[in-house]
């Protein structure tokens, strides 16, 4: 799998391509709707010949409008098709970047030491920051839904299961907030081995 950095660059390249497409001559026309009335007249030639907009149109004007309309309609279809392709590329790049970020954060998470809840918070805080500053400006990653792209990367890298992870985080909260003492084995698994040793003195 590609790195998060390379996927992020691909996402921004796709974003730039969308902006360039939107700012093209035809893109500006579409946004400004400058040719909308003329296009409507072209469509009315066959769909509504009695349209008030077509009154006074000479045969030569009609022929010119048909030639222009056929060409413009084709260009318009190509423009919208290209726009959809670019949006798909951006979406795919975003998904790949989030999966890569999840994998990289998951690998780092496995290397961290200390209580599980603190390691989890540190990992997610870093992931949020990286997504916000390097990707799409959204400072949030999702591990609640295991089917999201970040979650797939994270759970795939750590081999953790969502239900077990959140159950253990709940145990951490019970210990920190209520002083609930779990077995030494559980406390050690949660990363509170030092606390267990201190309390056993």
């Amino acid at each position: 799998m590609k790195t998060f950095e390379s996927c992020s660059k691909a996402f921004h390249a796709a974003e730039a391509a969308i902006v360039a497409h939107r700012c093209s001559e035809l893109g500006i026309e579409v946004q400004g709707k400058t040719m909308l009335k003329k296009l409507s007249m072209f469509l009315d030639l066959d769909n509504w010949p009695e349209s008030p907009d077509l009154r006074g149109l000479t045969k030569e004007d009609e022929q010119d409008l048909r030639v222009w309309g056929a060409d413009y309609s084709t260009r318009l279809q190509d423009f919208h098709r290209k726009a959809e392709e670019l949006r798909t590329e951006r979406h795919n790049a975003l998904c790949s970047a989030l999966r890569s970020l999840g994998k990289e954060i998951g690998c780092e998470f496995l290397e961290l030491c200390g209580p599980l809840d603190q390691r989890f918070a540190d990992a997610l805080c870093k992931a949020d920051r990286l997504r916000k500053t390097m990707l799409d400006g959204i400072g949030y990653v999702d591990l609640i839904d295991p089917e999201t792209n970040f979650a797939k990367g994270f759970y795939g890298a750590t081999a953790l299961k969502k239900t077990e992870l959140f159950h253990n985080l709940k145990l951490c909260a019970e210990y920190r907030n209520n002083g609930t003492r779990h077995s030494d084995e559980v406390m050690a698994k949660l990363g509170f081995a030092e606390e267990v040793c201190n309390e056993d003195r």
Side-chain angles (χ1 to χ4, degrees):
M1 181 181 282
K2 296 180 180 179
T3 65
F4 170 65
E5 183 177 359
S6 65
C7 289
S8 179
K9 289 179 179 178
F11 171 80
H12 288 295
E15 276 272 76
I18 288 175
V19 172
H21 187 62
R22 190 182 300 129
C23 293
S24 65
E25 181 180 349
L26 185 54
I28 293 173
E29 283 183 8
V30 170
Q31 293 176 75
K33 300 181 180 179
T34 55
M35 295 297 179
L36 186 59
K37 183 176 181 179
K38 190 174 181 180
L39 180 62
S40 179
M41 290 173 62
F42 164 73
L43 296 173
D44 286 343
L45 287 174
D46 294 321
N47 298 319
W48 187 26
E50 301 81 12
S51 169
D53 292 333
L54 298 179
R55 288 174 187 166
L57 214 63
T58 66
K59 289 293 183 181
E60 183 178 7
D61 291 336
E62 180 181 334
Q63 183 59 32
D64 289 344
L65 183 58
R66 286 189 181 279
V67 172
W68 173 88
D71 177 67
Y72 192 76
S73 296
T74 299
R75 291 173 57 213
L76 206 55
Q77 290 174 1
D78 291 343
F79 175 84
H80 288 304
R81 181 167 53 249
K82 181 63 175 179
E84 183 59 32
E85 289 174 0
L86 292 174
R87 285 192 292 269
T88 299
E89 287 178 15
R90 179 179 62 182
H91 174 74
N92 291 339
L94 177 62
C95 292
S96 295
L98 288 173
R99 281 194 299 272
S100 297
L101 179 60
K103 180 179 179 181
E104 291 178 15
I105 292 296
C107 291
E108 290 183 20
F109 173 79
L110 295 177
E111 298 297 322
L112 296 175
C113 299
L116 173 67
D117 56 350
Q118 187 60 56
R119 286 183 283 139
F120 183 77
D122 290 344
L124 284 192
C125 183
K126 181 176 181 178
D128 288 344
R129 176 172 50 80
L130 288 174
R131 178 177 182 178
K132 183 173 184 177
T133 58
M134 293 182 62
L135 195 56
D136 59 352
I138 298 175
Y140 173 76
V141 293
D142 181 22
L143 280 178
I144 296 177
D145 182 357
E147 292 305 309
T148 58
N149 289 288
F150 178 83
K152 286 180 180 179
F154 182 88
Y155 289 126
T158 60
L160 293 171
K161 300 296 182 184
K162 176 200 165 182
T163 51
E164 180 183 3
L165 173 61
F166 279 83
H167 172 70
N168 289 335
L169 289 172
K170 180 182 177 182
L171 295 180
C172 289
E174 291 175 351
Y175 172 69
R176 289 191 186 278
N177 300 330
N178 306 322
T180 303
R181 176 63 186 267
H182 306 291
S183 69
D184 289 353
E185 180 182 359
V186 171
M187 292 293 285
K189 183 175 71 171
L190 297 177
F192 292 106
E194 186 174 332
E195 284 85 344
V196 171
C197 292
N198 290 337
E199 292 178 6
D200 288 343
R201 287 178 182 174

